[in-house]
Amino acid sequence: MKTNIKNYNLDELQEIVQELGEKKYRAEQIFNWLYKENVQSFDEMTNLPNSFREKLKEKFELHIFKIIVKQTSKDGTKKYLFDVLDGNAIESVLMEYKYGKTICVSSQIGCKMGCKFCASTGIKFVRSLETGEIIEQLQAIERDENIKISNLVFMGIGEPLDNFDNVMKAIKILNNPKGINMGARHISISTSGLVPNIYRLADEKLQCTLSISLHAATDEKRSQMMPVNDAYNIEELMKACRYYIEKTNKRISFEYALAKDNNDNLEDAKQLIKLLKGMLCHVNLIPINKIDNGKFTKSTNENIIKFRDYLNEHGIVATIRRELGSDIDAACGQLRKKEVNK
Ligand code: SAH
C-alpha cells in the first residue's frame, strides 16, 4: 500500500513537494486541503496543477475511513466502527458535553497491557495505528456529523504511550494552527503507566492533560488488576508523575475505577490519600463497567459517593465521571466490536 499522506507533518510535506519539483508553498496548500477543508481526494485540491495532483496520487494515498457501524446512545453518545482499509477495524466514540464535543480515539488495534477489567484485553494485538489513522478518526466523524470537535482523549482501544512516536506526531499535527488547530490543552493522554514513556512525554513539554490509570493504591491490589504494575510499580509510577508535574506544571488526573469489594472501601481511600497527598492532581472516579467474563463488578452508588466524599474531606479533589454511552458498549473499557473480533 502507498503511504498515507496524513502521516506527514508540514515540514515533511515541504520536503516532499520540493522533491517532486514543486515550490515549498504547495505543502501549505495541501495541508490546508487536508486539515482545514477535510477533503476526501487529491482531485478536490483544485489550486494544485493537474500534473502535480497526478504525481501525488502516484506516490501517496489519502486514507478515508469507511463507517462499518454507527450506533447512537440514548444520551447522544455515538460509537463508530471504522474500516481502516487493511482489513482491520477500530472504534472511536463521540461524546457531547456542555463545553463541546469530545472524541475518544483508539491508538492501537488491540492492546498488549492485559488489564483484567478492560474489554480490550480480549482483543488480539494487531498493530499500532499510524499517525494519519489517529487523525482520520476525528476527521471522519467531523465529516459524517458536519461538526467541529473541540476535545480529544486517547482513551479508546490501545495504550497510547506504547505508540509514542505516532501519537506525538498526531498531536503536533492536530495542534498546527494552519490545520485543525486543536490546542494541546484540549487533548488528554491516558496511560496504564508505561513509566519510561511518561518521562519522555514530560520532556516533550506539551500542554496535554496526562491521565494515569491508577485504579489501586497498593502494589498488591494494582498488580491483580493491571499486569503493567509488575513491570513498573506504584513507587516508580509516582516518581515519574512527580517528574511530569515538575516539567509541565500540569495537574495530573488519576483514574480510579471502583470495583465492588475490591478497591472501594474506606481503607482503600485512606491508602489513596497517603499516596497522592500534596500532589498537583485530581482523582476521576469511574464506576467500573462490567465486561463479559470479568470478575470485577460495579460498586454501589452509595459506596462511590462515600469514597468521593472521603477523598474530598481529606484534601484530594475527586469527582465521579459521568457515564456515557453504556447502552451501546461505548463506556470506558467497553470498546470491543464482537463481529469483527478475529
Ligand atoms: N491504555 C490506556 C487508555 C485506554 S483505557 C489506559 O490504560 O489508560 C481508558 C480508561 O478506561 C483507562 O483509565 C482504563 O483504565 C479505563 N477502563 C478500562 N476498562 C474499564 C472498565 N471496564 N470500566 C471502567 N473503566 C475502564
Side-chain angles (χ1 to χ4, degrees), residues 117-118 155-156 158-159 190-192 213 215 255 286 288-289 332-333:
F117 50 87
C118 180
M155 292 192 186
E159 168 50 53
S190 181
T191 179
S192 56
S213 299
H215 305 316
E255 310 291 301
I286 315 169
I288 209 163
N289 287 299
C332 286

Side-chain angles (χ1 to χ4, degrees), residues 173-189:
I173 293 174
L174 288 164
N175 287 166
N176 196 322
K178 294 186 171 134
I180 291 168
N181 195 18
M182 179 185 275
R185 281 188 176 76
H186 295 270
I187 299 174
S188 295
I189 300 176

